[in-house]
Amino acid sequence: MSRGLFKMRAHRHPVAFLGLAMMLGSCQTLPSDAPHEDPLAEAPPITQGLDASGLSTLLMAELAGQRGDYRRASRGYLESAERYGAAELAERAALAARFGENADLLEQAAQRWQHLAPADTAPVRLLAGLSVQKGDWDAALARHLDIVDRNGTEELVPFLESALEAGAPPAPLLARLRDASPGPGQHHDIELAIALLEAANGLTASARQRLSDLADETPELPSLWRIRAAVALDADAPARAETMARRGLEYTPGDPRLILLLAQAEVRQGNVKAAEANTDALLEDHGDSPDLRLALAQLYLEEGHTGPARRLLLPLTDNDSAPPTVFLLLGAIAEEEGEIDNALLYYRQVPEGENFLTARASAARMLFEHGRPDDARTFLRIERLRHPDEAPGLFSLEVDLLDEAGTRAQADALLDQAVDTHPENAQLRYQRAMRAFRHGDLDAMERDLRTLIDQDPENANALNALGYTLADNNIEGRLDEARELVERAHALAPDNPAILDSMGWVRYRQGNPEAALSWLERAWADMPDQEVAAHLIEVLWRLDQRERARTLLQQSRQRFETHPRIDELLERLPELDQ
């Protein structure tokens, strides 16, 4: 498929189907945030233990809640909960904080609620949800395991499926789950969850054996056959996946997620007609919604079947509220079929928003690739007139396309025009600075970066780019300045791995490899690219950690298809490769 709009089978993840599957099934989520007419109407009543001060605090909290001042209401209830040791007041504080969208207060109230009502799982679920919102998946899993320990009824698989779909790394979750001590009746659920994480972590053989054992012991276990089918698909064994999906449907007839997996297995085996029958059944039985049609279309596109995908998407174009992705995918399908002008019409129908620039980039690149660069540039010029708010992004896109076409002079002229037209636009000026750097014009690069910093002293990217360039080029007399710029960037974006790399590299350039090491190790852990690898290898070598340096060198050669910074390092330190 063209330009990565369709996922390729070679990169399929064992739980890649979960986003669509979760649309069709249930998964554990936080309660809806949609406010009720009276968000505290169902909170537990306050009935006893009040003195004058306590009554005043509670009355103020009640009045604040009625006025919609949920922050003050939550603080009042929390103060009273701590004063009287009443779990009901802590619950009320949590409700107010929730409707006030105050995450810190909500966490504080939930922790107090949990402390005052240790047998109640509701605050634990609330804390688990807050951990999910922060991306702290390990803490969220620990909360769910706490619920398992308390009542033994928690199903871990739905939570873990949603975590994996959201991008949670499976390895630490697997380590925590393996350390869990299941209580009576919990063994099978824990084993199933471990198998899911093993599959997601690439331990397919172990996952298959664990699932096979579970099938012998408890074949009716929820999610068992679904996970077995998904693992088989990931192992490129669609016939086995079909068998597993059909076995699962014997225990849970009509399960939409199993029907989906069955269709996916049939598509993989080339039995598209049977797959279409199953996806049609899903639409008929589970609501013919745009989201479901989109997800099913993407299933076919992942396997390279544009016809069924197009049939699913075309009815959505009659709806004025059709998701923009519909037109983006139809454009890509038409392009794949060689229908260039038809594709262009679809791409142009994507409105301003998330997919706007993606659609225009696809359209313009398509025209360039088909020998129509003038048409591409005319198209982008008209789009700038039609969508003035998107003009800077469209300028930037055209500059990139001209660079790719090898017409640097035209790209330079267009970018100068764009910066003159939009002098306050940081994206365009930064793009010009980076192009100047690539072409060796450091003075031009610094002028634009200085302008960016003058316009916005908190532009961490500009601060870091200038500081790193000064350090990387080891410009005499400017290393202290480089460090000051990078440290300003770090204060603004302390977790940015590119800035962490700069923090280490400038210290190395200043002659302090010992101080550089920890910064570069952190950068490598968060952003393992070939430039960071080259920096870390060099620092390890200078610190006489020769074995570590050579090991990282070999890993980097295997990991990165191209590695110019590592090649340059080897030219300077050929003994690294001996």
Side-chain angles (χ1 to χ4, degrees):
M1 289 295 168
S2 57
R3 292 179 302 286
L5 281 172
F6 308 150
K7 297 177 182 177
M8 303 302 291
R9 284 175 54 180
H11 302 291
R12 182 171 289 101
H13 189 280
V15 291
F17 75 97
L18 289 177
L20 176 53
M22 288 162 58
M23 184 190 303
L24 299 167
S26 62
C27 64
Q28 290 176 312
T29 60
L30 289 174
S32 170
D33 282 334
H36 305 293
E37 292 183 4
D38 179 4
L40 303 180
E42 299 181 2
I46 303 155
T47 58
Q48 61 182 0
L50 299 175
D51 56 16
S53 175
L55 179 61
S56 173
T57 300
L58 284 172
L59 283 174
M60 289 179 64
E62 288 285 335
L63 290 171
Q66 291 176 18
R67 293 195 303 267
D69 187 354
Y70 296 122
R71 177 189 291 269
R72 178 170 293 181
S74 180
R75 290 190 183 281
Y77 291 131
L78 189 56
E79 179 183 336
S80 297
E82 291 172 348
R83 181 174 185 178
Y84 295 109
E88 295 84 359
L89 291 172
E91 180 181 358
R92 208 166 175 86
L95 284 167
R98 181 175 183 77
F99 285 102
E101 298 182 352
N102 189 315
D104 291 337
L105 259 180
L106 180 56
E107 184 170 10
Q108 188 179 353
Q111 288 173 343
R112 174 56 57 180
W113 181 11
Q114 181 188 15
H115 175 74
L116 294 171
D120 193 343
T121 61
V124 185
R125 292 184 188 279
L126 191 53
L127 288 167
L130 288 170
S131 296
V132 168
Q133 290 176 9
K134 293 189 292 186
D136 190 348
W137 299 104
D138 185 65
L141 177 56
R143 299 286 186 187
H144 281 281
L145 288 171
D146 187 16
I147 297 171
V148 170
D149 290 339
R150 289 166 186 264
N151 59 21
T153 60
E154 182 79 349
E155 283 190 30
L156 293 172
V157 168
F159 160 70
L160 291 171
E161 286 177 332
S162 63
L164 293 170
E165 175 65 19
L173 299 179
L174 179 58
R176 176 173 286 278
L177 202 53
R178 281 175 169 166
D179 289 339
S181 301
Q186 300 167 4
H187 169 74
H188 293 138
D189 287 333
I190 295 285
E191 286 290 294
L192 186 58
I194 289 174
L196 173 67
L197 290 175
E198 286 177 333
N201 209 43
L203 304 174
T204 307
S206 177
R208 285 180 58 189
Q209 184 59 56
R210 197 179 301 274
L211 292 167
S212 179
D213 293 342
L214 284 169
D216 292 338
E217 297 171 14
T218 53
E220 74 286 354
L221 193 66
S223 307
L224 170 63
W225 298 101
R226 176 160 47 85
I227 295 174
R228 293 192 79 183
V231 171
L233 278 173
D234 183 60
D236 203 19
R240 186 165 70 243
E242 180 182 353
T243 299
M244 299 304 172
R246 292 191 185 281
R247 284 289 306 277
L249 287 168
E250 294 174 7
Y251 291 99
T252 54
D255 185 314
R257 291 169 292 180
L258 284 168
I259 295 173
L260 170 66
L261 282 162
L262 178 59
Q264 197 168 358
E266 288 168 334
V267 169
R268 191 79 64 81
Q269 295 175 88
N271 193 356
V272 178
K273 291 295 183 185
E276 287 189 272
N278 281 311
T279 53
D280 286 346
L282 281 174
L283 289 169
E284 183 176 347
D285 295 341
H286 297 278
D288 191 348
S289 70
D291 286 344
L292 182 53
R293 278 187 175 268
L294 261 173
L296 291 172
Q298 287 171 326
L299 182 153
Y300 285 105
L301 291 175
E302 288 173 5
E303 302 299 333
H305 296 285
T306 56
R310 176 180 268 174
R311 284 192 290 274
L312 283 163
L313 294 171
L314 280 175
L316 298 177
T317 60
D318 296 331
N319 189 336
D320 291 338
S321 60
T325 310
V326 169
F327 298 104
L328 186 63
L329 291 178
L330 282 170
I333 291 170
E335 182 181 350
E336 185 74 11
E337 300 296 324
E339 304 168 5
I340 305 306
D341 291 328
N342 196 24
L344 189 61
L345 289 174
Y346 283 126
Y347 285 138
R348 291 189 66 174
Q349 291 183 71
V350 176
E352 292 185 15
E354 182 179 359
N355 290 310
F356 176 86
L357 285 176
T358 300
R360 272 61 187 180
S362 297
R365 186 167 280 109
M366 172 185 69
L367 292 171
F368 262 92
E369 291 175 355
H370 284 79
R372 297 167 58 180
D374 292 340
D375 289 346
R377 299 197 67 184
T378 299
F379 163 72
L380 290 173
R381 185 164 56 252
I382 292 172
E383 290 299 281
R384 288 197 292 270
L385 295 173
R386 293 178 63 221
H387 305 277
D389 290 343
E390 299 286 351
L394 292 166
F395 269 122
S396 178
L397 166 62
E398 188 172 350
V399 170
D400 286 340
L401 289 172
L402 290 170
D403 272 338
E404 291 173 14
T407 53
R408 177 185 165 187
Q410 292 182 28
D412 287 340
L414 181 66
L415 188 51
D416 287 341
Q417 174 194 343
V419 173
D420 290 343
T421 306
H422 303 277
E424 303 299 318
N425 186 270
Q427 173 193 354
L428 290 169
R429 194 174 293 276
Y430 188 82
Q431 182 179 14
R432 189 167 72 174
M434 292 301 99
R435 290 182 79 253
F437 170 74
R438 287 195 300 272
H439 297 304
D441 190 347
L442 298 187
D443 290 338
M445 182 206 74
E446 183 169 356
R447 281 196 301 273
D448 272 328
L449 291 178
R450 291 288 183 193
T451 301
L452 282 174
I453 294 168
D454 289 342
Q455 291 174 343
D456 178 11
E458 296 189 352
N459 188 324
N461 286 333
L463 289 164
N464 181 60
L466 182 53
Y468 173 79
T469 302
L470 295 176
D472 193 47
N473 287 273
N474 213 9
I475 297 178
E476 186 177 354
R478 303 193 69 180
L479 287 179
D480 289 342
E481 179 187 1
R483 179 163 175 167
E484 186 269 335
L485 289 164
V486 170
E487 287 181 344
R488 283 172 60 187
H490 180 254
L492 294 165
D495 297 322
N496 185 313
I499 296 174
L500 296 176
D501 175 58
S502 299
M503 290 283 283
W505 197 235
V506 72
R507 283 161 174 76
Y508 176 69
R509 288 300 201 197
Q510 289 181 314
N512 193 349
E514 293 84 358
L517 182 60
S518 61
W519 292 103
L520 294 174
E521 287 176 330
R522 286 178 58 193
W524 172 251
D526 293 344
M527 187 180 68
D529 75 3
Q530 61 94 27
E531 187 166 0
V532 178
H535 293 162
L536 183 53
I537 291 166
E538 183 167 350
V539 168
L540 289 169
W541 188 260
R542 295 302 185 194
L543 291 171
D544 287 329
Q545 297 189 33
R546 303 296 171 90
E547 193 60 35
R548 280 190 65 192
R550 286 190 170 116
T551 298
L552 182 56
L553 173 65
Q554 294 306 117
Q555 290 174 348
S556 300
R557 281 172 157 172
Q558 295 171 5
R559 184 170 192 163
F560 306 115
E561 187 173 341
T562 61
H563 34 73
R565 291 303 294 260
I566 292 174
D567 294 339
E568 183 270 333
L569 174 61
L570 289 173
E571 289 180 6
R572 290 189 290 107
L573 297 173
E575 60 269 29
L576 256 170
D577 205 18
Q578 295 175 0

